[in-house]
Amino acid sequence: MSEIPLPQAAKRVMPWWLLRHETMLAVILLIALIGLGSMNSRFLTLDNLLNQGRLTTEVGLIALPMTFIIITGGIDLSVGSIVGLCAILLGYSWKVFGFPLPLAIGFSLFIGGVAGFLNGIVITRVKVPPLIMTIATLALYRGLAEGISQARSVRGYPEWFYFIGQDNLFGVPAQLWLLLIAIVVTAIVLDRTTFGRTLYAIGNNETAARFSGLPVDRVKLIIYTLSGLMAGLSACVLVSRVTTTRSDMGIGYELDVIAAVVLGGTSIFGGIGTIWGTVVGLAMIQLLKNGLALTGVKGDATIVVIGTVLILSTLVASSLQRRREGV
Amino acid sequence: MTAVTLVSAEVSPRRRLKVLASQEALLAIAVIGLAIAVGLYNPRFLAARNLSDVLLGNAYIAVAAVGMSIVIVSGNIDISVGALIGVLATISGTLAVNGAPIVVAWLAALVAGVVVMALQGVIIAYLRIPAIVVTLGMLSILKGGLISLTGGKWITDLPDSFHLADIELFGMLPFPVFLMIAVTILAALWMRYSASGRAIYAVGGNAEAARLCGISQPRTIVMVFALHGLFAGAAALLYATQLRVIQSTVPPNLELTIITASVVGGVSILGGVGTVVGSTLAAVLIAEIASALVFIDVSPYWIRAVQGVLILVTVIADILRRRRMAGA
């Protein structure tokens, strides 16, 4: 990473290319939609598409802050484990501590934020590389979830709690509204605020950003905390949808999340990326899963496809980038 | 990055040796101290049967951790190794059950391990995709592929001669323990005294300096991953042959245990520093902790949290130590 020459930085934020990348993705998405639709008549129905939106919310809520993190050149592998930990604490604090459910939800969001904050504080203060820090907490948070729950599940939540995960609001799945709001807010923050532009500056050249007086550490701390918080939110939505709490919830989410972000054109090397790209990436991953499922491919085979997509899209993006830079 | 690289270059070889020796000595003391402490609480922990079970059942983790250490020293990471071990064990077991000569079944695991890992090495080194992306992708390809091809069916009726782990050398030394010790010593000597072994430290410590010294970084990385694949193959054989059945699934979170062993063993996550002796001691320590939990009446469900804390503490200590040495 350190050997990337400086002059690239200026070229990297060329808007026409960003536009092109997302247009390209959108066109592929459209072709995929039509292709899958013609193969299976159940695919291209409003019901199915809305239901896919419901299913993609949990991963989507995490993919938005992950876009921020990857733009700064970082990564967060612990998100799946935070989902597990928050889900367990939601159920545990409600059932065992006897918290009223709204308080339990607040508690589980708080713990998500704390988990992310711990990642952020060690990454910024001790300078542990994000990859290693979040591998360590990937083990730690999952271990806490397993230790606290002793592999027991919690079920039997009150009826109103299932609204967010299973009901509709104005004809659209309730949790999809959450995702839509989160998308709009994060897109505006990334594109229109100093905070958002700081993320690009850090990803392009962290040292330069520091010397320009940008609050690099504070910004990083905020995005890792946000990532944990959103993972906590995702856990609540997930528990509400599947009506039970288990310590293995969220296993493998990091794959879906990172694949969606990278597929959406965010560079794994940092400095490039948009929320809209991530949204298209999310849609593609979910439709891929759904399309494969409808054509009779089993769930385990779809993660093969997602893994391949992750590697290939990184390959294509990095070779495009290299060609543009004439390396 | 730059600051850290400078620091490790400034440290004299003798001082570095001392620091590393202390990490290994510390681990050895921890292994023995823990055994005594738990033994005082519950003497059954020290029963020869239990101690040998701990070593036998976890030797494969130590063998795989040797490969992982080499990968981390070169400045990379691999999170696909757990899934790969599951796949290799299944390949070997399937061949053995279907009447292939036992030696072929064994060799197939080793060869397949080298091929898969070398392929990842090529993508990482020549196409310059970060190791985390490549190995995360490979993890899901291997895991999904294995389950969808086998349906998670157990492989039973393995021929008796397949069970490598049953062999006892000189009538007393179980093969897994022998392999663990032999692999560790050979890898340690190779990394310390051969040019290609030193090249790994050079590439992990300062890639640009290594290049100027005429060391090919891509070639070194592909070599590192190929070797890691070989050790993963050996680990898969121990794993496959220690029980009477092979579950054709991926052992859950095996890669985390292996990475923990390497990091706790003193392999610096910033690359360029570390020995495989430490990682083997750490693998033994982790296995010992997991077993000790049962004997001190703590639920084994806590083991992964303990692993997480172990990684965290070692990594933070490593970075603070480097910073202090830079200040001194």
Side-chain angles (χ1 to χ4, degrees), chain A residues 200-225:
Chain A
Y200 290 104
I202 295 173
N204 276 319
N205 190 334
E206 188 171 328
T207 317
R210 226 176 264 280
F211 281 126
S212 313
L214 293 173
V216 173
D217 284 345
R218 199 171 68 213
V219 166
K220 279 192 182 174
L221 191 57
I222 293 173
I223 56 176
Y224 284 98
T225 309

Side-chain angles (χ1 to χ4, degrees), chain A residues 126 146 150 300 303-304 307 322, chain B residues 127 140 144-145 147 299 304 323:
Chain A
V126 192
E146 286 171 351
Q150 295 295 313
D300 298 312
I303 69 169
V304 176
R322 226 177 289 165
Chain B
L127 302 175
S140 63
I147 302 173
S299 152
R304 202 160 301 142
R323 207 181 283 172

Side-chain angles (χ1 to χ4, degrees), chain A residues 77 122 125-129 131-133 135-136 138-140 142-144 146-148 150-151 255 258 268-269 300-301 303-304 307-308 310-311 314-315 318 322, chain B residues 77 79 123 126-130 132-134 136-138 140-141 143-145 147-148 256 259 269-270 299 301-302 304-305 308-309 311-312 315-316 319-320 323:
Chain A
L77 295 175
V122 178
R125 288 295 144 83
V126 192
K127 311 279 180 224
V128 174
L131 174 63
I132 300 300
M133 180 61 198
I135 282 187
L138 166 72
L140 176 61
R142 181 68 63 195
L144 287 176
E146 286 171 351
I148 293 170
Q150 295 295 313
L255 173 73
I258 295 170
I268 195 78
F269 301 100
D300 298 312
I303 69 169
V304 176
T308 316
L310 173 65
I311 296 178
T314 318
L315 265 179
S318 92
R322 226 177 289 165
Chain B
I77 188 90
I79 58 170
I123 299 177
Y126 287 97
L127 302 175
R128 280 182 269 161
I129 308 297
I132 183 64
V133 173
V134 177
L136 180 63
M138 188 58 88
S140 63
I141 293 172
K143 189 169 153 186
I147 302 173
S148 57
L256 283 180
I259 292 172
I269 36 94
L270 301 171
S299 152
Y301 282 116
W302 287 105
R304 202 160 301 142
V309 171
I311 308 184
L312 217 55
V315 167
I316 292 176
I319 289 188
L320 293 181
R323 207 181 283 172

Side-chain angles (χ1 to χ4, degrees), chain B residues 35 59 64 129 132 134 178 183 223 240 243 296 321:
Chain B
I129 308 297
I132 183 64
V134 177
F178 163 76
V183 159
M223 172 190 77
L243 300 172
I296 58 170
R321 188 169 55 195

Side-chain angles (χ1 to χ4, degrees), chain A residues 4-327:
Chain A
I4 294 171
L6 274 178
Q8 280 177 213
K11 276 190 183 175
R12 271 189 175 182
V13 276
M14 289 189 93
W16 63 267
W17 184 79
L18 286 180
L19 252 161
R20 278 258 301 246
H21 183 95
E22 277 135 32
T23 328
M24 217 161 66
L25 264 178
V27 170
I28 298 174
L29 180 63
L30 210 65
I31 295 171
L33 271 174
I34 296 168
L36 287 168
S38 65
M39 276 158 70
N40 192 312
S41 56
R42 269 182 306 159
F43 178 77
L44 217 54
T45 56
L46 192 62
D47 260 5
N48 182 48
L49 292 183
L50 282 178
N51 196 37
Q52 295 315 311
R54 190 190 287 285
L55 295 177
T56 203
T57 302
E58 290 121 26
V59 167
L61 287 172
I62 307 174
L64 301 172
M66 186 71 86
T67 310
F68 287 2
I69 290 176
I70 295 184
I71 285 176
T72 65
I75 198 152
D76 184 354
L77 295 175
S78 69
V79 284
S81 295
I82 299 182
V83 169
L85 178 61
C86 290
I88 284 301
L89 284 176
L90 171 68
Y92 200 79
S93 61
W94 175 68
K95 195 103 176 181
V96 180
F97 297 164
F99 284 11
L101 197 50
L103 185 65
I105 293 171
F107 179 64
S108 125
L109 291 178
F110 172 74
I111 292 296
V114 170
F117 181 80
L118 179 68
N119 283 336
I121 201 85
V122 178
I123 288 167
T124 54
R125 288 295 144 83
V126 192
K127 311 279 180 224
V128 174
L131 174 63
I132 300 300
M133 180 61 198
T134 56
I135 282 187
T137 51
L138 166 72
L140 176 61
Y141 298 152
R142 181 68 63 195
L144 287 176
E146 286 171 351
I148 293 170
S149 72
Q150 295 295 313
R152 282 190 296 264
S153 62
V154 173
R155 47 182 79 233
Y157 295 95
E159 202 55 40
W160 64 264
F161 177 59
Y162 300 139
F163 170 78
I164 193 76
Q166 299 173 11
D167 269 352
N168 289 332
L169 189 64
F170 309 122
V172 172
Q175 66 263 61
L176 209 48
W177 290 107
L178 269 183
L179 182 61
L180 288 177
I181 295 168
I183 288 170
V184 172
V185 171
T186 47
I188 291 172
V189 166
L190 185 59
D191 207 41
R192 297 271 171 242
T193 65
T194 323
F195 181 84
R197 306 318 293 180
T198 307
L199 298 176
Y200 290 104
I202 295 173
N204 276 319
N205 190 334
E206 188 171 328
T207 317
R210 226 176 264 280
F211 281 126
S212 313
L214 293 173
V216 173
D217 284 345
R218 199 171 68 213
V219 166
K220 279 192 182 174
L221 191 57
I222 293 173
I223 56 176
Y224 284 98
T225 309
L226 181 68
S227 174
L229 191 69
M230 294 295 262
L233 184 61
S234 162
C236 295
V237 173
L238 178 62
V239 173
S240 167
R241 179 168 66 82
V242 301
T243 72
T244 174
T245 310
R246 286 194 327 263
S247 64
D248 63 351
M249 281 178 147
I251 282 186
Y253 268 28
E254 61 279 359
L255 173 73
D256 283 8
V257 169
I258 295 170
V261 173
V262 170
L263 185 62
T266 300
S267 165
I268 195 78
F269 301 100
I272 302 177
T274 60
I275 291 294
W276 304 119
T278 297
V279 172
V280 180
L282 273 172
M284 288 187 74
I285 298 256
Q286 189 56 41
L287 294 180
L288 202 63
K289 278 185 181 174
N290 180 229
L292 287 172
L294 284 176
T295 46
V297 179
K298 290 226 188 73
D300 298 312
T302 55
I303 69 169
V304 176
V305 178
I306 293 173
T308 316
V309 164
L310 173 65
I311 296 178
L312 287 183
S313 60
T314 318
L315 265 179
V316 171
S318 92
S319 70
L320 277 179
Q321 198 178 325
R322 226 177 289 165
R323 183 175 308 165
R324 217 176 49 250
E325 279 149 8
V327 177

Side-chain angles (χ1 to χ4, degrees), chain B residues 1-285:
Chain B
M1 279 300 219
T2 329
V4 174
T5 326
L6 285 176
V7 173
S8 64
E10 276 163 16
V11 179
S12 73
R14 187 175 296 168
R15 178 146 185 206
R16 184 190 283 179
L17 189 67
K18 218 158 98 197
V19 170
L20 291 176
S22 75
Q23 178 92 3
E24 280 144 17
L26 209 69
L27 282 165
I29 293 169
V31 168
I32 296 166
L34 182 69
I36 294 172
V38 178
L40 285 176
Y41 182 86
N42 187 340
R44 275 180 301 153
F45 177 71
L46 291 179
R49 174 86 197 270
N50 182 53
L51 293 182
S52 80
D53 276 357
V54 168
L55 272 183
L56 271 176
N58 293 283
Y60 75 100
I61 289 177
V63 171
V66 167
M68 180 65 77
S69 301
I70 301 176
V71 168
I72 299 180
V73 166
S74 79
N76 288 287
I77 188 90
D78 170 32
I79 58 170
S80 69
V81 66
L84 180 62
I85 288 175
V87 169
L88 296 179
T90 307
I91 291 177
S92 189
T94 311
L95 284 174
V97 167
N98 291 326
I102 297 301
V103 178
V104 172
W106 286 341
L107 279 179
L110 298 178
V111 172
V114 170
V115 169
V116 172
M117 280 297 172
L119 175 70
Q120 297 201 77
V122 167
I123 299 177
I124 292 163
Y126 287 97
L127 302 175
R128 280 182 269 161
I129 308 297
I132 183 64
V133 173
V134 177
T135 59
L136 180 63
M138 188 58 88
L139 163 72
S140 63
I141 293 172
L142 292 172
K143 189 169 153 186
L146 181 64
I147 302 173
S148 57
L149 286 182
T150 64
K153 266 202 288 289
W154 290 24
I155 303 174
T156 50
D157 301 325
L158 290 157
D160 281 339
S161 53
F162 176 70
H163 294 281
L164 204 59
D166 290 353
I167 301 173
E168 289 200 335
L169 299 166
F170 318 117
M172 50 172 285
L173 184 63
F175 185 75
V177 178
F178 163 76
L179 190 67
M180 173 178 94
I181 296 171
V183 159
T184 308
I185 293 176
L186 284 179
L189 291 176
W190 174 72
M191 286 181 79
R192 189 154 179 79
Y193 294 111
S194 77
S196 49
R198 300 309 301 172
I200 303 171
Y201 286 98
V203 166
N206 188 332
E208 185 58 22
R211 196 179 66 83
L212 294 175
C213 293
I215 295 168
S216 161
Q217 190 196 4
R219 214 172 301 159
T220 305
I221 290 180
V222 173
M223 172 190 77
V224 161
F225 272 87
L227 259 178
H228 175 45
L230 185 68
F231 292 134
L237 289 183
L238 295 184
Y239 174 74
T241 60
Q242 66 184 0
L243 300 172
R244 299 296 112 180
V245 293
I246 299 172
Q247 237 177 308
S248 20
T249 50
V250 173
N253 292 302
L254 180 55
E255 62 281 353
L256 283 180
T257 310
I258 295 170
I259 292 172
T260 312
S262 295
V263 172
V264 174
V267 176
S268 172
I269 36 94
L270 301 171
V273 176
T275 74
V276 295
V277 177
S279 84
T280 299
L281 282 170
V284 172
L285 179 65

